[in-house]
Amino acid sequence: MSSITLRFLAAPSTVNFGGKVHGGTVMKWIDEAGYACATTWSHNYCVTVFIGSIRFHRPIMIGDLVEVEARLAYTGSTSMNIAVEVRSGDMKGGQMTKTTECLIVFVAVDSHGRPLPVDAFTPSTPGEMALAERARVHLEAARQAASVG
């Protein structure tokens, strides 16, 4: 399985001082959905090694229905680049709007924390191909930025 969608209600326990869902809670949801996607793909325990280009488009309101969709975008020999999109909306209206998006990288590891190989992901649709290229370009830019510093 190369994608997973988690759905739940934004609970009052996730509120920030502005009365909306706390950004850190959204980041936790992103990590959880990414982990589920990576673990399902690799069949191994996975660790988060990078989260990049997180973009908060709009707040999530308490009581909204939330969808966190994680899609495998690109694989390396041990890593999985996963695109995560968060959507939310009032259940009465039925409209879901993108609230947050990012790319996240997981690595499959053994019981000693050593990287394990993962199966290659081959994009099969134009949308998957575009997403894979976006992830590849983003990863290369992040590597170059890290080597400059």
Side-chain angles (χ1 to χ4, degrees), residues 1-4 31-48 70-72 78-82 104-108 118:
M1 183 167 44
S2 62
S3 70
I4 190 165
D31 192 47
E32 289 171 347
Y35 173 80
C37 184
T39 300
T40 301
W41 182 260
S42 70
H43 306 288
N44 286 291
Y45 178 70
C46 296
V47 295
T48 308
R71 295 182 298 152
L72 192 59
T78 62
S79 64
M80 294 153 284
N81 293 257
I82 296 172
I104 186 167
V105 179
F106 285 87
V107 171
V118 297

Side-chain angles (χ1 to χ4, degrees), residues 57-132:
H57 296 284
R58 66 172 205 80
I60 298 172
M61 307 307 288
I62 300 303
D64 276 0
L65 178 64
V66 179
E67 293 180 342
V68 185
E69 180 183 23
R71 295 182 298 152
L72 192 59
Y74 178 81
T75 53
S77 57
T78 62
S79 64
M80 294 153 284
N81 293 257
I82 296 172
V84 182
E85 183 174 296
V86 182
R87 296 176 292 273
S88 73
D90 183 346
M91 291 177 291
K92 294 181 291 293
Q95 267 317 81
M96 299 295 280
T97 305
K98 180 168 41 174
T99 65
T100 313
E101 62 184 326
C102 76
L103 288 169
I104 186 167
V105 179
F106 285 87
V107 171
V109 295
D110 66 15
S111 61
H112 300 288
R114 293 183 296 247
L116 292 169
V118 297
D119 291 337
F121 173 68
T122 305
S124 59
T125 67
E128 288 176 345
M129 289 179 218
L131 184 60

